[in-house]
Amino acid sequence: AQSVTQLGSHVSVSEGALVLLRCNYSSSVPPYLFWYVQYPNQGLQLLLKYTTGATLVKGINGFEAEFKKSETSFHLTKPSAHMSDAAEYFCAVSAGRGGADGLTFGKGTHLIIQP
Amino acid sequence: KAGVTQTPRYLIKTRGQQVTLSCSPISGHRSVSWYQQTPGQGLQFLFEYFSETQRNKGNFPGRFSGRQFSNSRSEMNVSTLELGDSALYLCASRAGETEAFFGQGTRLTVV
């Protein structure tokens, strides 16, 4: 069984500041990890994924995340926040095989960008 | 390449009725999964279909069912609707063992 914990239901940063959204996971098998973004009244858009290989993964819109097995973490970062980054972000885990057993999502973090 | 298409986008139903939601996956994708999103429970996995067979099912009552057709299009059905079934229902498609691509969702309101 898998689980995901996202620390902070709301995170507020100033435009141009570092964005850090935290995600810790639990999985009994080597996990596949994902970050998705959701804008109001929209579906989920994949930001980035980790399956195997390089632990630092780069995604769209300047986001990146690092898989740390020893810390069971997969935190999302962006060096400089933009107003358009304001949205809901979800971390998700699957038990390998790209999610054949379904994705388990965290509760989400609402990112607020202050002008 | 067209994305995942869900119809309808919005739906209002009365308690006790049943509803059918439709999902057309990305061309070539054979796997379709469904999720329910509510403010209280967040995103929860409903079920996944691959080549017309249900491969996995989440922890939902039997009122929630689905099917997949030979062209990979999928439908989910909810019978005897309850107020708590009001949610955004999201469909996702995958090609093999890759990331899931989501549709815009169907917003179901039960009154």
Coordinates of all heavy atoms in Angstrom, one line a residue, chain A residues 52-108:
Chain A
T52 N 12.8 5.7 -12.7 CA 14.1 5.1 -12.3 C 15.1 6.1 -12.8 O 14.9 7.0 -13.6 CB 14.3 3.7 -12.9 OG1 14.2 3.8 -14.3 CG2 13.2 2.8 -12.4
G53 N 16.4 5.8 -12.4 CA 17.5 6.6 -13.0 C 17.8 7.8 -12.2 O 17.7 7.8 -10.9
A54 N 18.1 8.9 -12.9 CA 18.5 10.2 -12.2 C 17.5 10.6 -11.2 O 16.3 10.7 -11.5 CB 18.7 11.2 -13.3
T55 N 18.0 10.9 -10.0 CA 17.0 11.3 -8.9 C 16.6 12.7 -9.0 O 15.6 13.1 -8.3 CB 17.7 11.0 -7.6 OG1 18.9 11.8 -7.5 CG2 18.0 9.6 -7.4
L56 N 17.3 13.6 -9.7 CA 16.8 15.0 -9.9 C 16.1 15.0 -11.3 O 16.7 14.8 -12.3 CB 18.0 15.9 -9.9 CG 17.7 17.4 -10.0 CD1 16.8 17.9 -8.9 CD2 19.0 18.2 -10.1
V57 N 14.9 15.3 -11.2 CA 14.1 15.4 -12.5 C 13.6 16.8 -12.7 O 13.2 17.5 -11.8 CB 12.9 14.4 -12.4 CG1 13.4 12.9 -12.4 CG2 12.0 14.6 -11.2
K58 N 13.6 17.1 -14.0 CA 13.2 18.5 -14.4 C 11.9 18.3 -15.1 O 11.6 17.4 -15.9 CB 14.2 19.1 -15.3 CG 15.5 19.4 -14.6 CD 16.5 20.1 -15.4 CE 17.9 20.3 -14.7 NZ 17.7 21.1 -13.5
G59 N 11.0 19.3 -14.9 CA 9.7 19.2 -15.5 C 9.4 20.5 -16.3 O 10.3 21.2 -16.7
I60 N 8.1 20.7 -16.5 CA 7.7 21.9 -17.3 C 7.7 23.1 -16.4 O 7.6 23.0 -15.2 CB 6.4 21.6 -18.0 CG1 5.3 21.4 -16.9 CG2 6.4 20.5 -18.9 CD1 3.9 21.4 -17.5
N61 N 7.7 24.3 -17.1 CA 7.5 25.6 -16.4 C 8.6 25.8 -15.3 O 8.3 26.6 -14.4 CB 6.1 25.7 -15.8 CG 5.0 25.5 -16.8 OD1 5.2 25.7 -18.0 ND2 3.8 25.1 -16.3
G62 N 9.8 25.3 -15.5 CA 10.9 25.5 -14.6 C 10.9 24.8 -13.3 O 11.7 25.0 -12.4
F63 N 9.9 23.8 -13.1 CA 9.9 23.1 -11.9 C 10.9 21.9 -11.9 O 11.1 21.3 -13.0 CB 8.5 22.5 -11.6 CG 7.5 23.6 -11.2 CD1 6.7 24.3 -12.1 CD2 7.4 23.9 -9.8 CE1 5.8 25.2 -11.6 CE2 6.5 24.8 -9.4 CZ 5.7 25.5 -10.3
E64 N 11.3 21.5 -10.8 CA 12.1 20.3 -10.7 C 11.9 19.6 -9.3 O 11.3 20.3 -8.4 CB 13.6 20.5 -10.9 CG 14.3 21.5 -9.8 CD 15.7 21.7 -10.2 OE1 16.1 21.8 -11.3 OE2 16.5 21.7 -9.2
A65 N 12.2 18.4 -9.2 CA 12.0 17.6 -7.9 C 13.2 16.6 -7.8 O 13.7 16.1 -8.8 CB 10.7 16.9 -7.9
E66 N 13.5 16.3 -6.5 CA 14.5 15.4 -6.3 C 14.0 14.2 -5.4 O 13.4 14.4 -4.4 CB 15.7 16.0 -5.5 CG 16.9 15.1 -5.3 CD 18.1 15.8 -4.8 OE1 18.0 16.9 -4.3 OE2 19.2 15.2 -4.8
F67 N 14.2 13.0 -5.9 CA 13.8 11.8 -5.2 C 14.9 11.4 -4.2 O 16.1 11.3 -4.6 CB 13.7 10.6 -6.2 CG 13.5 9.3 -5.6 CD1 12.4 9.0 -4.7 CD2 14.4 8.3 -5.9 CE1 12.3 7.8 -4.2 CE2 14.2 7.0 -5.3 CZ 13.2 6.8 -4.4
K68 N 14.5 11.4 -2.9 CA 15.5 11.0 -1.9 C 14.9 9.8 -1.2 O 14.0 9.9 -0.3 CB 15.7 12.2 -0.9 CG 16.4 13.4 -1.5 CD 16.8 14.4 -0.5 CE 17.6 15.5 -1.1 NZ 18.0 16.6 -0.1
K69 N 15.5 8.7 -1.5 CA 15.0 7.4 -1.0 C 15.1 7.3 0.5 O 14.2 6.9 1.2 CB 15.7 6.2 -1.7 CG 15.2 4.9 -1.3 CD 15.9 3.8 -2.0 CE 15.5 2.4 -1.5 NZ 16.2 1.3 -2.3
S70 N 16.3 7.8 1.0 CA 16.6 7.7 2.4 C 15.6 8.5 3.3 O 15.3 8.2 4.4 CB 18.0 8.1 2.7 OG 18.2 9.5 2.4
E71 N 15.1 9.6 2.7 CA 14.2 10.5 3.4 C 12.7 10.3 2.9 O 11.8 10.9 3.4 CB 14.5 12.0 3.1 CG 15.9 12.3 3.6 CD 16.3 13.8 3.3 OE1 15.4 14.5 2.8 OE2 17.5 14.1 3.5
T72 N 12.5 9.3 2.0 CA 11.2 9.1 1.4 C 10.5 10.4 1.0 O 9.3 10.6 1.4 CB 10.3 8.2 2.3 OG1 10.0 8.9 3.5 CG2 10.9 6.8 2.5
S73 N 11.3 11.2 0.3 CA 10.7 12.5 -0.1 C 10.8 12.8 -1.5 O 11.7 12.1 -2.2 CB 11.5 13.6 0.7 OG 12.8 13.7 0.3
F74 N 10.0 13.7 -2.0 CA 10.0 14.1 -3.4 C 9.5 15.5 -3.5 O 8.4 15.8 -4.0 CB 9.1 13.1 -4.2 CG 9.2 13.2 -5.7 CD1 10.5 13.1 -6.4 CD2 8.1 13.5 -6.5 CE1 10.6 13.2 -7.8 CE2 8.2 13.6 -7.9 CZ 9.4 13.5 -8.5
H75 N 10.3 16.4 -3.0 CA 9.9 17.8 -2.9 C 10.0 18.5 -4.2 O 10.9 18.3 -5.0 CB 10.8 18.5 -1.8 CG 10.7 17.9 -0.5 ND1 9.6 17.3 0.0 CD2 11.7 17.9 0.5 CE1 9.9 16.9 1.3 NE2 11.1 17.2 1.6
L76 N 9.1 19.4 -4.5 CA 9.0 20.2 -5.7 C 9.6 21.6 -5.5 O 9.2 22.2 -4.5 CB 7.5 20.3 -6.2 CG 7.3 21.0 -7.5 CD1 7.8 20.2 -8.7 CD2 5.8 21.3 -7.6
T77 N 10.4 22.0 -6.4 CA 11.0 23.4 -6.3 C 10.9 24.1 -7.6 O 10.9 23.5 -8.7 CB 12.5 23.3 -5.8 OG1 13.2 22.6 -6.7 CG2 12.6 22.7 -4.4
K78 N 11.0 25.4 -7.4 CA 11.1 26.3 -8.6 C 11.9 27.5 -8.1 O 11.5 28.1 -7.1 CB 9.8 26.7 -9.2 CG 9.9 27.6 -10.4 CD 8.6 27.9 -11.0 CE 8.7 28.8 -12.3 NZ 7.4 29.1 -13.0
P79 N 13.0 27.9 -8.8 CA 13.8 29.0 -8.2 C 13.1 30.3 -8.1 O 13.4 31.1 -7.2 CB 15.0 29.1 -9.3 CG 14.9 27.7 -10.0 CD 13.5 27.3 -10.0
S80 N 12.2 30.6 -9.0 CA 11.6 32.0 -9.0 C 10.2 31.9 -9.4 O 9.8 31.5 -10.5 CB 12.4 32.8 -10.1 OG 11.8 34.1 -10.1
A81 N 9.3 32.2 -8.4 CA 7.9 32.0 -8.6 C 7.3 33.1 -9.6 O 7.8 34.3 -9.6 CB 7.2 32.1 -7.3
H82 N 6.3 32.7 -10.3 CA 5.6 33.6 -11.2 C 4.2 33.6 -10.9 O 3.6 32.6 -10.4 CB 5.9 33.1 -12.7 CG 5.4 34.1 -13.7 ND1 4.1 34.2 -14.2 CD2 6.1 35.1 -14.4 CE1 4.0 35.1 -15.1 NE2 5.2 35.7 -15.2
M83 N 3.5 34.7 -11.2 CA 2.1 34.8 -10.8 C 1.3 33.6 -11.4 O 0.3 33.1 -10.8 CB 1.5 36.1 -11.3 CG 2.1 37.3 -10.6 SD 1.8 37.3 -8.8 CE 0.0 37.6 -8.7
S84 N 1.7 33.2 -12.6 CA 0.9 32.1 -13.2 C 1.1 30.8 -12.6 O 0.4 29.8 -12.9 CB 1.4 32.0 -14.7 OG 2.8 31.7 -14.8
D85 N 2.0 30.7 -11.6 CA 2.2 29.4 -10.8 C 1.1 29.2 -9.8 O 1.1 28.1 -9.2 CB 3.6 29.4 -10.2 CG 4.7 29.4 -11.2 OD1 4.5 28.8 -12.3 OD2 5.8 30.0 -10.9
A86 N 0.3 30.2 -9.5 CA -0.7 30.0 -8.5 C -1.7 29.0 -8.9 O -2.4 29.1 -10.0 CB -1.5 31.4 -8.3
A87 N -1.8 27.9 -8.1 CA -2.6 26.7 -8.5 C -2.6 25.7 -7.4 O -2.0 26.0 -6.3 CB -2.1 26.1 -9.8
E88 N -3.3 24.6 -7.5 CA -3.2 23.5 -6.6 C -2.2 22.5 -7.1 O -2.3 22.1 -8.3 CB -4.6 22.9 -6.5 CG -4.8 21.9 -5.3 CD -5.0 22.6 -4.0 OE1 -5.4 23.8 -4.0 OE2 -4.9 21.9 -2.9
Y89 N -1.3 22.0 -6.2 CA -0.3 21.0 -6.6 C -0.5 19.7 -5.9 O -0.7 19.7 -4.7 CB 1.1 21.6 -6.4 CG 1.4 22.7 -7.3 CD1 0.9 24.0 -7.0 CD2 2.2 22.6 -8.4 CE1 1.2 25.1 -7.9 CE2 2.5 23.6 -9.3 CZ 2.0 24.9 -9.0 OH 2.3 25.9 -9.9
F90 N -0.4 18.6 -6.6 CA -0.6 17.3 -6.0 C 0.6 16.4 -6.3 O 1.1 16.3 -7.4 CB -1.9 16.6 -6.7 CG -3.2 17.3 -6.3 CD1 -3.7 18.2 -7.2 CD2 -3.8 17.0 -5.1 CE1 -4.9 18.9 -6.9 CE2 -5.0 17.6 -4.8 CZ -5.6 18.5 -5.7
C91 N 1.0 15.8 -5.2 CA 2.1 14.8 -5.3 C 1.4 13.4 -5.4 O 0.3 13.2 -4.7 CB 3.0 14.9 -4.1 SG 4.3 13.7 -4.1
A92 N 1.9 12.5 -6.2 CA 1.2 11.2 -6.3 C 2.3 10.1 -6.4 O 3.4 10.3 -6.9 CB 0.3 11.2 -7.5
V93 N 1.9 8.9 -5.9 CA 2.8 7.8 -6.0 C 2.0 6.6 -6.6 O 0.8 6.4 -6.4 CB 3.3 7.4 -4.6 CG1 2.1 7.0 -3.6 CG2 4.3 6.3 -4.6
S94 N 2.7 5.7 -7.3 CA 2.2 4.5 -7.7 C 3.2 3.4 -7.4 O 4.4 3.7 -7.3 CB 1.8 4.5 -9.2 OG 3.0 4.5 -10.0
A95 N 2.7 2.2 -7.3 CA 3.6 1.1 -7.0 C 4.2 0.6 -8.3 O 4.0 -0.6 -8.7 CB 2.7 0.0 -6.3
G96 N 5.0 1.4 -8.9 CA 5.7 1.0 -10.1 C 4.8 0.8 -11.2 O 3.6 1.1 -11.1
R97 N 5.2 0.2 -12.3 CA 4.4 -0.1 -13.4 C 3.6 1.1 -13.9 O 2.6 0.9 -14.5 CB 3.5 -1.3 -13.2 CG 4.3 -2.6 -12.8 CD 3.4 -3.8 -12.9 NE 2.4 -3.8 -11.9 CZ 1.1 -4.0 -12.1 NH1 0.7 -4.2 -13.4 NH2 0.2 -3.9 -11.2
G98 N 4.0 2.3 -13.6 CA 3.4 3.5 -14.2 C 2.0 3.7 -13.7 O 1.2 4.5 -14.2
G99 N 1.6 3.1 -12.6 CA 0.3 3.4 -12.0 C -0.8 2.4 -12.4 O -1.9 2.7 -12.3
A100 N -0.4 1.2 -12.7 CA -1.5 0.2 -13.0 C -2.4 -0.1 -11.8 O -3.5 -0.5 -12.0 CB -0.8 -1.1 -13.5
D101 N -1.9 0.1 -10.6 CA -2.7 0.0 -9.5 C -3.4 1.2 -9.0 O -3.9 1.3 -8.0 CB -1.8 -0.6 -8.3 CG -1.2 -1.9 -8.6 OD1 -1.9 -2.7 -9.3 OD2 -0.1 -2.2 -8.2
G102 N -3.3 2.2 -9.9 CA -3.9 3.5 -9.5 C -3.0 4.4 -8.8 O -2.1 4.0 -8.1
L103 N -3.1 5.7 -9.0 CA -2.3 6.7 -8.3 C -2.9 7.0 -7.0 O -4.1 7.1 -6.8 CB -2.3 8.0 -9.1 CG -1.5 7.9 -10.5 CD1 -1.8 9.1 -11.3 CD2 0.0 7.9 -10.2
T104 N -2.0 7.1 -6.0 CA -2.4 7.6 -4.7 C -1.9 9.0 -4.5 O -0.7 9.3 -4.7 CB -1.8 6.7 -3.6 OG1 -2.3 5.4 -3.7 CG2 -2.2 7.2 -2.2
F105 N -2.9 9.9 -4.3 CA -2.5 11.3 -4.2 C -2.4 11.9 -2.8 O -3.1 11.3 -1.9 CB -3.6 12.1 -4.9 CG -3.6 12.0 -6.4 CD1 -4.3 11.0 -7.1 CD2 -2.9 12.9 -7.2 CE1 -4.3 10.9 -8.5 CE2 -2.9 12.9 -8.6 CZ -3.6 11.9 -9.2
G106 N -1.6 12.9 -2.7 CA -1.6 13.7 -1.4 C -2.9 14.6 -1.4 O -3.6 14.6 -2.4
K107 N -3.1 15.3 -0.3 CA -4.3 16.1 -0.2 C -4.1 17.4 -1.0 O -5.1 18.1 -1.1 CB -4.5 16.5 1.3 CG -4.9 15.3 2.2 CD -6.2 14.8 1.8 CE -6.7 13.8 2.8 NZ -8.0 13.2 2.4
G108 N -2.9 17.7 -1.5 CA -2.8 18.9 -2.3 C -2.2 20.1 -1.5 O -2.5 20.2 -0.3

